[in-house]
Amino acid sequence: MRKSRRERGESQFGCLLGLILLGIAIFVAWKMIPVKVKAAEMRQTVVDEAKSAGTHNDERIKAAIMAKAREDALPLTEDDINIVRANGEITVTVNYTVPIAFPGYTYQWHITHTANNPIF
């Protein structure tokens, strides 16, 4: 008795589908990872500036954040930066949206960074 191809598990469709899904995953990662790295660098800048609030005024903090945004080509304006000093603490909040273009669709990735530190 001879087994058919299907019974032996020699289908090419599963392999092709797996390769297509792998290609899509690699493409999405290729588009998203650089934005995630830039967002992490911006978050660290926000935290660092909040830590130095005792020696920096609000304008200097905004200037440092904007310089990092320009360096990383992030779509950030001064209106997206909110600095609140109250009760011996500073809260720095940065909200921005990064458009990520895919074929036929543009994903709007909304990112928020918040740092809260005491002012010394």
Side-chain angles (χ1 to χ4, degrees):
M1 180 177 219
R2 187 170 186 197
K3 293 183 179 182
S4 71
R5 295 186 74 129
R6 190 166 219 177
E7 290 177 13
R8 292 187 292 180
E10 293 182 13
S11 173
Q12 300 295 324
F13 181 72
C15 180
L16 181 62
L17 183 62
L19 287 175
I20 290 171
L21 290 176
L22 179 64
I24 291 171
I26 289 172
F27 178 72
V28 169
W30 178 65
K31 296 289 253 178
M32 301 284 282
I33 288 174
V35 175
K36 186 70 175 169
V37 169
K38 290 177 183 179
E41 291 174 356
M42 177 57 73
R43 179 179 30 113
Q44 187 60 48
T45 300
V46 170
V47 169
D48 291 344
E49 288 302 317
K51 286 180 182 177
S52 63
T55 59
H56 295 170
N57 62 17
D58 292 356
E59 293 306 315
R60 187 167 174 188
I61 292 171
K62 281 185 180 184
I65 292 171
M66 289 302 298
K68 184 63 177 172
R70 280 189 297 278
E71 178 184 321
D72 288 343
L74 291 173
L76 184 65
T77 64
E78 285 196 21
D79 295 334
D80 297 329
I81 304 168
N82 186 20
I83 300 172
V84 177
R85 293 176 188 252
N87 301 326
E89 290 187 343
I90 185 168
T91 302
V92 181
T93 305
V94 178
N95 290 305
Y96 57 101
T97 302
V98 179
I100 302 173
F102 293 103
Y105 179 71
T106 300
Y107 177 70
Q108 301 293 330
W109 192 354
H110 182 72
I111 302 171
T112 301
H113 305 297
T114 302
N116 187 1
N117 280 337
I119 300 174
F120 294 112

